[in-house]
Amino acid sequence: MAALDIAMEGSAMHRRGFLAAGGVALTAFVNQWDAAEAEPLHRAAEGSRLSQVLLGSLQHTTDHLRTMDATAGSGTLKTLGDKHLSFLKHLAQDTSYDEATGRQLAAIIADTATQTGWFAFDSGDRDGTLGYLYAALRAAKASGDVRLGAGALSYIAIYGYSTGAPSRAVTAAQRAREAVGNLGTPALEAMLLTRQARGHAKLGERQSALAALGRAAELCAQGRSDRDPHWLYWINEGEIHGQAASCYLDLGDPRRAAESFSEAMKALNPGDQRTKGLFLSRAATAHTAQGDLEAGCAVAHEALDLAEHLQSARFNEHVQTMLDQLSAMDQSPHAQGVLERAIAMQGNGSRS
């Protein structure tokens, strides 16, 4: 509850404290999240009885927010996530339930805190992100479901490789893999391996990145097991290809990156519009970097098609990187067409 208070209502000073803690403190937290005991979550004496029907509805709300994010971007979802977390916190403190029900409630809190942390990150609130993910880890411990802890760690990994700390991404992903290694969850392990690979690629560790990607592809090919979490519905061959392509781009291999992005587009989940946009913007960068400006600009227009309706600060950053690259080639009519369209979109308020 204290961790949720800091994430949702803490001062900017408290939130920045998570960032100021530095790599040593972050690594210690990542390594100890499932070792430090959590107080059993149960209230048997006071308040209305928490029902299974309500718990199911609360999980459905979290699932719906997750789907909204994948389809249209984070937009205003952080505010909705905060309101949902506030209600969950109220239930934890003011209703009665046994320990088994309390664990179910803690699991929903962990899932919702992880998603809200992601909404914060995708909307550009980097200072607020880690507070939610730390709270998610504590709730995951209270729930007894290490898969939820692994999910939170996977987003800490994204935070690491996206903010100049790729070694922390590798540490978080490896720690998560250790926690779930004996559960028989191939989809979950495949996802974690892609996060680890991204960290290795940012560090320039080509062989380690490729080894992680190869193992991820093998696990993905096995298919989902009944132990894989329901919230990890989006892992498929397209996601693996897309993450491999992003690694190739970071490793300075734009040709293989472009090829892998092309494969990703063939197999990506149709509803994952933000992921598609991220892959398209990076694919445009890959095509242009290998000298195929016409192909790069064609893909850039596809990325701008999505930018007209997606609400994602993270996607906008990738689009801007793509445009910055093309601005150095503005003598080309292909590049001019993309740049002029982007300017017109900004004038119309299509891009945030």
Side-chain angles (χ1 to χ4, degrees):
M1 295 303 103
L4 283 175
D5 282 340
I6 293 174
M8 293 188 294
E9 304 167 8
S11 67
M13 180 181 298
H14 279 127
R15 289 194 295 270
R16 284 195 296 270
F18 285 118
L19 300 178
V24 174
L26 175 58
T27 299
F29 197 100
V30 164
N31 285 333
Q32 296 172 13
W33 77 271
D34 60 346
E37 288 303 317
E39 182 177 348
L41 193 61
H42 62 87
R43 289 176 60 84
E46 301 175 356
S48 300
R49 195 72 177 173
L50 185 58
S51 72
Q52 290 295 315
V53 173
L54 179 57
L55 285 174
S57 177
L58 293 168
Q59 181 63 63
H60 179 74
T61 297
T62 302
D63 293 338
H64 187 58
L65 291 175
R66 183 175 11 251
T67 303
M68 289 171 64
D69 170 66
T71 302
S74 57
T76 59
L77 290 179
K78 179 181 176 297
T79 299
L80 295 176
D82 276 337
K83 292 184 181 300
H84 190 34
L85 276 175
S86 180
F87 183 59
L88 290 167
K89 179 171 174 284
H90 162 71
L91 293 176
Q93 293 177 316
D94 298 323
T95 62
S96 62
Y97 43 86
D98 58 22
E99 186 169 348
T101 303
R103 286 180 178 271
Q104 290 179 266
L105 177 58
I108 299 170
I109 291 173
D111 190 8
T112 306
T114 296
Q115 286 303 307
T116 307
W118 167 250
F119 300 156
F121 182 77
D122 188 59
S123 63
D125 180 13
R126 301 293 170 85
D127 285 356
T129 300
L130 288 180
Y132 290 100
L133 298 179
Y134 290 161
L137 288 174
R138 296 308 299 148
K141 173 62 178 177
S143 77
D145 189 343
V146 295
R147 299 171 302 174
L148 288 164
L153 288 171
S154 77
Y155 286 106
I156 290 176
I158 295 176
Y159 184 95
Y161 68 65
S162 300
T163 58
S167 61
R168 299 181 198 176
V170 173
T171 298
Q174 288 178 328
R175 185 66 187 87
R177 288 176 57 211
E178 291 170 5
V180 301
N182 296 321
L183 295 184
T185 52
L188 180 55
E189 290 186 66
M191 180 272 286
L192 293 170
L193 280 161
T194 65
R195 303 289 187 254
Q196 183 177 330
R198 293 292 302 278
H200 286 307
K202 291 285 187 182
L203 290 166
E205 298 171 350
R206 183 181 181 88
Q207 291 306 119
S208 294
L210 296 183
L213 289 169
R215 180 57 179 155
E218 292 173 358
L219 288 167
C220 184
Q222 291 180 18
R224 296 177 58 84
S225 78
D226 57 5
R227 291 287 295 158
D228 274 306
H230 79 281
W231 41 263
L232 195 63
Y233 66 91
W234 43 267
I235 279 291
N236 65 5
E237 185 181 357
E239 176 71 16
I240 302 299
H241 280 302
Q243 295 302 330
S246 297
C247 288
Y248 286 129
L249 200 57
D250 287 331
L251 291 167
D253 192 345
R255 181 188 63 79
R256 294 195 68 177
E259 293 172 353
S260 292
F261 279 128
S262 178
E263 292 300 314
M265 291 302 115
K266 299 175 184 177
L268 201 62
N269 287 315
D272 290 344
Q273 293 296 292
R274 195 233 347 272
T275 298
K276 180 179 179 181
L278 290 171
F279 288 173
L280 284 171
S281 62
R282 295 175 195 163
T285 298
H287 282 298
T288 302
Q290 67 169 333
D292 193 347
L293 183 58
E294 184 174 356
C297 290
V299 176
H301 277 294
E302 293 185 59
L304 291 180
D305 289 342
L306 291 178
E308 289 183 328
H309 63 82
L310 280 173
Q311 299 181 57
S312 167
R314 184 164 174 258
F315 174 47
N316 288 341
E317 290 173 3
H318 282 74
V319 169
Q320 191 58 55
T321 298
M322 175 188 79
L323 296 174
D324 289 344
Q325 181 192 41
L326 291 175
S327 66
M329 306 171 186
D330 59 1
Q331 299 304 309
S332 162
H334 298 296
Q336 286 178 359
V338 175
L339 295 170
E340 289 170 2
R341 180 183 175 189
I343 292 171
M345 289 171 60
Q346 289 177 330
N348 292 332
S350 297
R351 288 183 59 219
S352 59

